[in-house]
Amino acid sequence: MLDINIVRQNPDDVIAMLHRRQMGGEAGKVKELLDLDRSRKEMVQRADDLKATRNRVSREIADIKRTGQGSADELIRQMKSVSDQISELDADLAKLETVMEELLLGLPNMLHHSVPEGRTAEDNMLYKGPVEFTHDLDFPVTNHLELGKSLGILDFERGAKISGAGFPVYIGKGARLERALINFMLDMHTEHHGYTEVFPPFLVNQESLRGTGQWPKFADQVYHICEDGLYAIPTAEVPVTNLHRGEMLDPAALPIAYVAYSACFRREAGSYGKDTRGFLRVHQFNKVEMVRFTRPEASYEALEEILSNAEAILRALKIPYRVITLCGGDISANAAKCYDIEVWSPAENKYLEASSVSNFEDYQARRSNIRFKPDGKSKPEFVHTLNGSGLATSRLMVSLLEHYQTADGKIVIPEALRPYTGFDLIG
RNA sequence: GGAGAGGUCGCAUAGUUGGUCUAGUGCGCUCGCCUGGAAAGCGGGUAGGGUGUAACAGCCCUCGAGGGUUCGAAUCCCUCCCUCUCCGCCA
């Protein structure tokens, strides 16, 4: 959520941001918000004055009742009318504030000045790489689906039987490989990158979704357990960022860095027919997610660190990748700046997004009310929140299987992973 | 799932026949006095949001959350959330 003060003081900046995001059509919301804001102030003023009167006179009535001197009937009669006016004003005010809140929640985050201009994914800028590693693939490559099937380590058909399309099953060495990847990544981030491990709930309430910005905008992409009012998390970002929702953080504790494994659930409504093969788009996948809470002035340095933490995994596994900076038209509404890490798929002959590393600045912190007091006594400030996948195993698995395949259809396990798999070859 | 108890300003507590509660007290923290220095003692301060102001002040809201009754609610009523105890079921 944007600070209403930014809208008040720099409405033109907000409108410029909407244009950079290819959302110029939303510009009218800014003026609407300003108008509502003015009436709100005026109404608050009137309501507060009436409340002050009521409080003062109520004390007079109390005095009269206590001392038994005189009658309070006339005052009570007057206050009855005042109270009615207050109720009416408060009700109007509540309605108006709901509208303002919805408008404000609907506005995307301000963009960092370094975010490239552009309309679509075509306009994203290469930031790092491509980083290549030598693999001998001087034979016709097989795609991950066929490899998984022929080796008996992935079963999409049975997954479809027991749950539906897009729920892969890992079997035997495939299951072990998946677990090895997760453990390897968690160990790397906790032992070498300074993160504290968190194992979060996979079901959250609506307030948590709202806090990180998945609600209400992406409501249709989240699995909902109606009976209990719970939602399956689309990413560990949701429970982990919400760990500190509504808290005043100890400034000495900043920056806070968490890493969490979670299964991730996404309905992917409306995206059928696009990159749906095998692991390219699934409803449930595994991801290790890094989340940081920082002081505002430290967040862009932290963004680069998270990026390099994620890169370290790919470097250790020797998987080719590149990093791109998302342009204004492609970046998500919550983020002020975002890098995508893409891994190379030899069979698809293209890069696949395996990680998204974002700085939300105070956008999520304001929604979820996560603050700290800079020097212990001044006004509280919102922290900056960031996160980055490190990484999602589904796309990583695609790239790993395809890169490490042999001419006779086996998979060589990357050296760094062998302590975790306990074997060095599948097939 | 059933029965009961409870959620108060960092912590602990007072406050439940509605009105000196604009929430008292203790601890903690902090500032000052005192001291050669410290302890003790004494005195002051000790949340967040809104509005307002040049900045203060002032005013409004918040006693788990949200409604309701009332001129007036920490206090009465309703709904929900959470914690604890007991019972049942259970990985």
Side-chain angles (χ1 to χ4, degrees):
Chain A
M1 179 162 66
L2 285 185
D3 186 350
I4 184 71
N5 285 313
I6 292 180
V7 184
R8 279 179 195 147
Q9 291 157 20
N10 312 91
D12 294 342
D13 291 353
V14 177
I15 289 169
M17 172 276 289
L18 289 171
H19 281 104
R20 287 182 71 191
R21 285 180 179 273
Q22 310 302 312
M23 295 171 68
E26 307 274 291
K29 283 185 178 176
V30 175
K31 185 176 180 304
E32 199 180 335
L33 209 43
L34 286 173
D35 289 343
L36 288 172
D37 186 48
R38 269 189 291 273
S39 2
R40 190 193 78 94
K41 278 197 184 189
E42 194 243 336
M43 285 165 76
V44 163
Q45 203 57 60
R46 270 195 291 152
D48 281 2
D49 284 348
L50 287 171
K51 284 174 184 172
T53 303
R54 183 177 67 183
N55 288 342
R56 182 171 47 75
V57 176
S58 281
R59 259 168 281 161
E60 287 173 21
I61 292 172
D63 280 339
I64 291 170
K65 294 269 187 189
R66 195 172 49 252
T67 59
Q69 292 180 346
S71 165
D73 294 351
E74 174 58 20
L75 288 178
I76 289 176
R77 205 180 53 75
Q78 287 174 13
M79 285 311 101
K80 195 170 172 53
S81 136
V82 168
S83 272
D84 288 346
Q85 292 179 56
I86 290 172
S87 304
E88 210 173 306
L89 262 176
D90 274 350
D92 290 348
L93 205 49
K95 265 185 247 165
L96 188 142
E97 284 180 339
T98 304
V99 175
M100 280 185 71
E101 169 108 356
E102 290 305 315
L103 275 175
L104 209 50
L105 283 174
L107 285 179
N109 202 356
M110 299 300 283
L111 292 170
H112 192 252
H113 60 77
S114 66
V115 170
E117 302 300 320
R119 298 177 59 84
T120 68
E122 302 290 302
D123 303 313
N124 292 337
M125 299 272 289
L126 183 67
Y127 179 58
K128 284 189 190 175
V131 178
E132 309 278 5
F133 299 97
T134 314
H135 294 285
D136 298 322
L137 289 175
D138 49 359
F139 52 85
V141 294
T142 307
N143 72 40
H144 75 281
L145 252 182
E146 289 172 38
L147 285 168
K149 195 169 184 174
S150 64
L151 291 167
I153 57 174
L154 296 175
D155 193 334
F156 286 85
E157 285 79 10
R158 289 198 175 91
K161 176 172 69 179
I162 58 180
S163 300
F167 289 91
V169 182
Y170 308 73
I171 296 176
K173 285 186 171 177
R176 179 67 181 244
L177 175 59
E178 179 74 359
R179 181 157 59 92
L181 277 171
I182 294 164
N183 287 339
F184 168 68
M185 293 190 282
L186 285 172
D187 285 354
M188 173 89 94
H189 294 317
T190 54
E191 286 165 20
H192 302 294
H193 300 152
Y195 289 82
T196 300
E197 186 169 347
V198 172
F199 203 123
F202 293 176
L203 297 180
V204 296
N205 56 34
Q206 196 180 98
E207 288 69 42
S208 295
L209 286 180
R210 199 173 265 273
T212 34
Q214 279 78 14
W215 194 274
K217 203 177 166 95
F218 298 108
D220 60 339
Q221 296 299 332
V222 182
Y223 285 100
H224 183 193
I225 289 105
C226 298
E227 203 168 15
D228 300 290
L230 293 170
Y231 301 82
I233 57 173
T235 158
E237 162 194 350
V238 177
V240 176
T241 305
N242 276 282
L243 277 179
H244 294 300
R245 169 153 53 88
E247 292 185 13
M248 189 75 72
L249 300 177
D250 175 4
L254 296 175
I256 296 171
Y258 292 127
V259 63
Y261 156 75
S262 88
C264 302
F265 305 89
R266 298 186 182 182
R267 295 188 61 229
E268 301 292 354
S271 59
Y272 291 102
K274 202 168 65 180
D275 288 342
T276 53
R277 212 145 54 115
F279 270 129
L280 298 185
R281 194 170 293 278
V282 286
H283 292 305
Q284 178 182 327
F285 60 95
N286 295 306
K287 184 156 63 67
V288 168
E289 183 79 7
M290 297 170 277
V291 174
R292 293 209 198 184
F293 303 81
T294 74
R295 289 167 179 266
E297 64 273 18
S299 68
Y300 278 92
E301 194 181 330
L303 181 70
E304 299 300 321
E305 279 172 19
I306 297 174
L307 177 63
S308 68
N309 296 156
E311 287 182 71
I313 300 289
L314 294 173
R315 288 174 184 277
L317 296 176
K318 296 189 163 57
I319 289 181
Y321 70 94
R322 67 177 185 182
V323 179
I324 56 170
T325 310
L326 297 192
C327 73
D330 198 33
I331 187 172
S332 78
N334 299 336
K337 184 171 185 180
C338 179
Y339 297 121
D340 272 2
I341 302 178
E342 300 179 325
V343 293
W344 178 250
S345 161
E348 298 292 327
N349 197 36
K350 67 177 178 187
Y351 283 99
L352 305 173
E353 178 191 339
S355 171
S356 201
V357 181
S358 311
N359 186 354
F360 303 97
E361 299 191 0
D362 64 4
Y363 192 84
Q364 290 182 330
R366 180 170 287 106
R367 290 175 87 111
S368 29
N369 198 24
I370 305 171
R371 298 170 296 171
F372 74 107
K373 288 190 188 176
D375 55 12
K377 58 180 172 183
S378 59
K379 281 255 168 198
E381 277 185 41
F382 290 105
V383 296
H384 280 194
T385 62
L386 305 94
N387 65 52
S389 0
L391 305 91
T393 59
S394 48
R395 307 275 176 75
L396 185 58
M397 186 70 90
V398 172
S399 192
L400 191 154
L401 293 180
E402 291 177 2
H403 273 289
Y404 281 92
Q405 64 182 295
T406 61
D408 55 352
K410 298 178 179 177
I411 309 290
V412 178
I413 302 298
E415 238 166 288
L417 266 188
R418 292 179 192 170
Y420 291 87
T421 53
F423 50 80
D424 55 14
L425 193 72
I426 300 178

